[in-house]
Amino acid sequence: MGNRNDRYIVASIRENVGWIRLNRPEVLNALNLQLISELVAVLTEMDRDENVRCMVITGNEKAFAAGADIPEMAEASSVEMLIQDQLAEWDRLRKLTKPLIAAVSGYALGGGCELAMACDLIVASETAVFGQPEILLGVIPGAGGTQRLTRAVGKVRAMEMVLTGRSMTAREALQVGLINRVVPPELLEAEAMNLAKKIAQQPPVAVRLAKQAVLKAMDMTLENGLDYEQKLFYFLFSTEDQKEGMRAFVEKRKPRFQGK
Ligand code: DAK
């Protein structure tokens, strides 16, 4: 990574894992425009960095992120919101090719919950709280809350959360399939790091295509999705990592993946 001079993001790379901390604790990591733009910039940079195989976004013990910055948007007009086009920044998250893990402790509300759901996996501490309270502010979720939450937990649960603003505990979120696992707060970072390292050890081209294929399952018919998967599967037979992976199995040894 080049030199970065971010105000609200702390980023580092360890053992092929890009670690990104949202760092605006005085307002529970409220996602103002600058924070979002710094976050997207660092993720884009890590996505291109061949030393990075997986990325983790985390916050602090009290908050992953308590949503978009309310004072920043409170007096905005529709036209100002439109021209600002914050969604374009958020949309760049969808273009990332490497797996992204959200490590959530404390509040993941509104845009914070949407950010977690835009990640590929979610690890949470027992203190995590997920919710879409936008209705209480006179609006609705604006960065995927009505769509990703519904796909993750089903219509009736999403409807209740979006219509009443009620949030979910980490245990509930685990039970309904919104998140991957729950751990005590002191183990959150280690758990997220272990999961990230596990992914970082896999053959990167296959990881990239696997991510793409699973995401496509969200918006393709089964027939088109199966077709898409098959093409990617055949393509992987042109990689050295496929040869190495299968030969290593036959030779009863561990594979050494090169990312080719
Ligand atoms: N924005 C700005 N500041 C916030 C904030 C937020 N979302 N959440 C908390 N803070 C600030 C508080 O104002 C307070 O600041 P000071 O008063 O100390 O200066 C500080 O953080 C600590 O908060 P509290 O004193 O309230 O702490 P508590 O423990 O008592 O309560 C809480 C924690 C999370 C229950 C409470 O702070 C809260 O209800 N916060 C608001 C949660 C919320 O409504 N979030 C949804 C925001 S709307 C878009 C994409 C996304 C979005 C919009 C557009 N486009 C693509 C266009 C997303 C919208 C949203 O997320």
Short mmCIF file of all heavy atoms in Angstrom, two decimals, residues 57-86:
data_model
loop_
_atom_site.label_atom_id
_atom_site.label_comp_id
_atom_site.label_asym_id
_atom_site.label_seq_id
_atom_site.Cartn_x
_atom_site.Cartn_y
_atom_site.Cartn_z
N ILE A 57 -13.16 -5.47 7.74
CA ILE A 57 -13.55 -4.13 8.21
C ILE A 57 -14.05 -4.28 9.64
O ILE A 57 -14.89 -5.15 9.91
CB ILE A 57 -14.69 -3.53 7.36
CG1 ILE A 57 -14.31 -3.50 5.88
CG2 ILE A 57 -15.04 -2.13 7.85
CD1 ILE A 57 -15.42 -2.96 4.98
N THR A 58 -13.53 -3.46 10.52
CA THR A 58 -14.00 -3.51 11.90
C THR A 58 -14.16 -2.11 12.47
O THR A 58 -13.81 -1.12 11.81
CB THR A 58 -13.05 -4.39 12.76
OG1 THR A 58 -13.68 -4.69 13.99
CG2 THR A 58 -11.71 -3.70 13.01
N GLY A 59 -14.72 -2.02 13.67
CA GLY A 59 -14.88 -0.72 14.32
C GLY A 59 -14.22 -0.79 15.68
O GLY A 59 -13.07 -1.23 15.80
N ASN A 60 -14.94 -0.38 16.70
CA ASN A 60 -14.40 -0.51 18.06
C ASN A 60 -15.40 -1.31 18.89
O ASN A 60 -16.41 -1.79 18.36
CB ASN A 60 -14.11 0.86 18.67
CG ASN A 60 -15.34 1.75 18.63
OD1 ASN A 60 -16.40 1.39 19.15
ND2 ASN A 60 -15.24 2.90 18.00
N GLU A 61 -15.13 -1.45 20.19
CA GLU A 61 -15.98 -2.31 21.01
C GLU A 61 -17.42 -1.81 21.07
O GLU A 61 -18.36 -2.59 21.07
CB GLU A 61 -15.39 -2.38 22.41
CG GLU A 61 -15.62 -3.74 23.03
CD GLU A 61 -14.93 -3.85 24.36
OE1 GLU A 61 -13.72 -3.57 24.42
OE2 GLU A 61 -15.62 -4.21 25.34
N LYS A 62 -17.60 -0.49 21.05
CA LYS A 62 -18.96 0.06 21.20
C LYS A 62 -19.72 0.12 19.88
O LYS A 62 -20.95 0.03 19.86
CB LYS A 62 -18.87 1.45 21.85
CG LYS A 62 -20.25 2.01 22.13
CD LYS A 62 -20.36 2.91 23.34
CE LYS A 62 -21.85 3.21 23.58
NZ LYS A 62 -22.13 4.58 23.92
N ALA A 63 -18.99 0.32 18.79
CA ALA A 63 -19.70 0.47 17.52
C ALA A 63 -18.90 0.01 16.33
O ALA A 63 -17.71 0.36 16.19
CB ALA A 63 -20.09 1.94 17.31
N PHE A 64 -19.55 -0.78 15.50
CA PHE A 64 -19.03 -1.02 14.15
C PHE A 64 -19.31 0.29 13.40
O PHE A 64 -18.38 0.97 12.99
CB PHE A 64 -19.77 -2.20 13.53
CG PHE A 64 -19.37 -2.50 12.11
CD1 PHE A 64 -18.13 -3.02 11.83
CD2 PHE A 64 -20.25 -2.27 11.06
CE1 PHE A 64 -17.75 -3.30 10.51
CE2 PHE A 64 -19.89 -2.55 9.75
CZ PHE A 64 -18.64 -3.06 9.49
N ALA A 65 -20.56 0.68 13.29
CA ALA A 65 -20.95 2.00 12.79
C ALA A 65 -22.44 2.20 13.10
O ALA A 65 -23.26 1.34 12.79
CB ALA A 65 -20.70 2.12 11.30
N ALA A 66 -22.74 3.37 13.69
CA ALA A 66 -24.15 3.66 14.08
C ALA A 66 -24.92 4.31 12.95
O ALA A 66 -25.91 5.00 13.20
CB ALA A 66 -24.18 4.51 15.34
N GLY A 67 -24.46 4.12 11.72
CA GLY A 67 -25.23 4.61 10.57
C GLY A 67 -24.58 5.77 9.88
O GLY A 67 -23.50 6.23 10.26
N ALA A 68 -25.28 6.27 8.85
CA ALA A 68 -24.80 7.47 8.16
C ALA A 68 -24.83 8.62 9.15
O ALA A 68 -25.51 8.56 10.17
CB ALA A 68 -25.71 7.76 6.97
N ASP A 69 -24.04 9.66 8.83
CA ASP A 69 -23.94 10.80 9.73
C ASP A 69 -25.22 11.63 9.65
O ASP A 69 -25.49 12.28 8.64
CB ASP A 69 -22.72 11.63 9.31
CG ASP A 69 -22.40 12.70 10.32
OD1 ASP A 69 -23.30 13.53 10.61
OD2 ASP A 69 -21.28 12.70 10.85
N ILE A 70 -26.02 11.58 10.72
CA ILE A 70 -27.35 12.21 10.68
C ILE A 70 -27.26 13.74 10.52
O ILE A 70 -27.90 14.28 9.61
CB ILE A 70 -28.20 11.79 11.90
CG1 ILE A 70 -28.38 10.26 11.90
CG2 ILE A 70 -29.57 12.49 11.87
CD1 ILE A 70 -29.01 9.68 13.15
N PRO A 71 -26.45 14.44 11.33
CA PRO A 71 -26.39 15.89 11.12
C PRO A 71 -25.94 16.27 9.71
O PRO A 71 -26.41 17.26 9.15
CB PRO A 71 -25.35 16.36 12.15
CG PRO A 71 -25.33 15.29 13.19
CD PRO A 71 -25.68 14.01 12.50
N GLU A 72 -25.05 15.47 9.12
CA GLU A 72 -24.54 15.81 7.78
C GLU A 72 -25.66 15.82 6.73
O GLU A 72 -25.63 16.58 5.78
CB GLU A 72 -23.44 14.82 7.38
CG GLU A 72 -22.69 15.22 6.13
CD GLU A 72 -21.59 14.22 5.78
OE1 GLU A 72 -21.91 13.07 5.40
OE2 GLU A 72 -20.40 14.58 5.89
N MET A 73 -26.65 14.91 6.91
CA MET A 73 -27.69 14.84 5.87
C MET A 73 -29.02 15.47 6.30
O MET A 73 -29.95 15.56 5.51
CB MET A 73 -27.90 13.40 5.40
CG MET A 73 -28.41 12.45 6.45
SD MET A 73 -28.44 10.75 5.85
CE MET A 73 -28.65 9.91 7.40
N ALA A 74 -29.08 15.90 7.58
CA ALA A 74 -30.37 16.33 8.13
C ALA A 74 -31.06 17.42 7.30
O ALA A 74 -32.27 17.37 7.09
CB ALA A 74 -30.18 16.82 9.57
N GLU A 75 -30.31 18.40 6.81
CA GLU A 75 -30.94 19.53 6.11
C GLU A 75 -30.81 19.43 4.59
O GLU A 75 -31.13 20.39 3.88
CB GLU A 75 -30.32 20.86 6.60
CG GLU A 75 -30.47 21.10 8.11
CD GLU A 75 -31.92 21.01 8.61
OE1 GLU A 75 -32.84 21.38 7.86
OE2 GLU A 75 -32.12 20.53 9.75
N ALA A 76 -30.33 18.30 4.09
CA ALA A 76 -30.12 18.18 2.64
C ALA A 76 -31.45 18.11 1.89
O ALA A 76 -32.43 17.58 2.42
CB ALA A 76 -29.29 16.94 2.34
N SER A 77 -31.47 18.65 0.67
CA SER A 77 -32.66 18.53 -0.17
C SER A 77 -32.50 17.27 -1.02
O SER A 77 -31.41 16.69 -1.11
CB SER A 77 -32.77 19.75 -1.09
OG SER A 77 -31.71 19.73 -2.03
N SER A 78 -33.58 16.85 -1.66
CA SER A 78 -33.52 15.68 -2.55
C SER A 78 -32.47 15.90 -3.63
O SER A 78 -31.68 15.00 -3.95
CB SER A 78 -34.86 15.47 -3.26
OG SER A 78 -35.86 15.26 -2.34
N VAL A 79 -32.47 17.11 -4.18
CA VAL A 79 -31.54 17.40 -5.27
C VAL A 79 -30.10 17.33 -4.77
O VAL A 79 -29.22 16.76 -5.43
CB VAL A 79 -31.86 18.77 -5.91
CG1 VAL A 79 -30.80 19.15 -6.95
CG2 VAL A 79 -33.24 18.73 -6.55
N GLU A 80 -29.86 17.86 -3.58
CA GLU A 80 -28.49 17.78 -3.03
C GLU A 80 -28.10 16.32 -2.82
O GLU A 80 -26.97 15.92 -3.13
CB GLU A 80 -28.41 18.55 -1.70
CG GLU A 80 -28.29 20.05 -1.90
CD GLU A 80 -28.65 20.86 -0.64
OE1 GLU A 80 -29.12 20.28 0.37
OE2 GLU A 80 -28.47 22.08 -0.70
N MET A 81 -29.01 15.51 -2.29
CA MET A 81 -28.70 14.08 -2.09
C MET A 81 -28.39 13.42 -3.43
O MET A 81 -27.47 12.63 -3.55
CB MET A 81 -29.88 13.36 -1.41
CG MET A 81 -30.11 13.73 0.04
SD MET A 81 -28.71 13.35 1.14
CE MET A 81 -28.91 11.59 1.43
N LEU A 82 -29.20 13.77 -4.43
CA LEU A 82 -29.03 13.18 -5.76
C LEU A 82 -27.68 13.56 -6.37
O LEU A 82 -26.95 12.72 -6.89
CB LEU A 82 -30.18 13.67 -6.65
CG LEU A 82 -30.28 13.05 -8.04
CD1 LEU A 82 -30.93 11.68 -7.92
CD2 LEU A 82 -31.12 13.94 -8.96
N ILE A 83 -27.35 14.85 -6.25
CA ILE A 83 -26.11 15.33 -6.86
C ILE A 83 -24.88 14.77 -6.13
O ILE A 83 -23.90 14.39 -6.75
CB ILE A 83 -26.09 16.88 -6.90
CG1 ILE A 83 -27.11 17.33 -7.94
CG2 ILE A 83 -24.70 17.43 -7.22
CD1 ILE A 83 -27.35 18.81 -7.96
N GLN A 84 -25.02 14.69 -4.82
CA GLN A 84 -23.93 14.13 -4.02
C GLN A 84 -23.66 12.68 -4.44
O GLN A 84 -22.54 12.20 -4.39
CB GLN A 84 -24.41 14.13 -2.57
CG GLN A 84 -23.39 14.29 -1.54
CD GLN A 84 -24.14 14.48 -0.21
OE1 GLN A 84 -24.89 13.60 0.22
NE2 GLN A 84 -23.93 15.61 0.41
N ASP A 85 -24.71 12.00 -4.84
CA ASP A 85 -24.67 10.61 -5.30
C ASP A 85 -23.78 9.71 -4.46
O ASP A 85 -22.84 9.09 -4.95
CB ASP A 85 -24.26 10.55 -6.78
CG ASP A 85 -24.63 9.19 -7.38
OD1 ASP A 85 -25.40 8.45 -6.73
OD2 ASP A 85 -24.14 8.86 -8.47
N GLN A 86 -24.11 9.68 -3.19
CA GLN A 86 -23.35 8.85 -2.26
C GLN A 86 -23.42 7.37 -2.64
O GLN A 86 -22.54 6.59 -2.35
CB GLN A 86 -23.96 9.04 -0.87
CG GLN A 86 -22.95 9.00 0.22
CD GLN A 86 -23.64 8.91 1.57
OE1 GLN A 86 -23.51 7.92 2.27
NE2 GLN A 86 -24.35 9.95 1.96
#
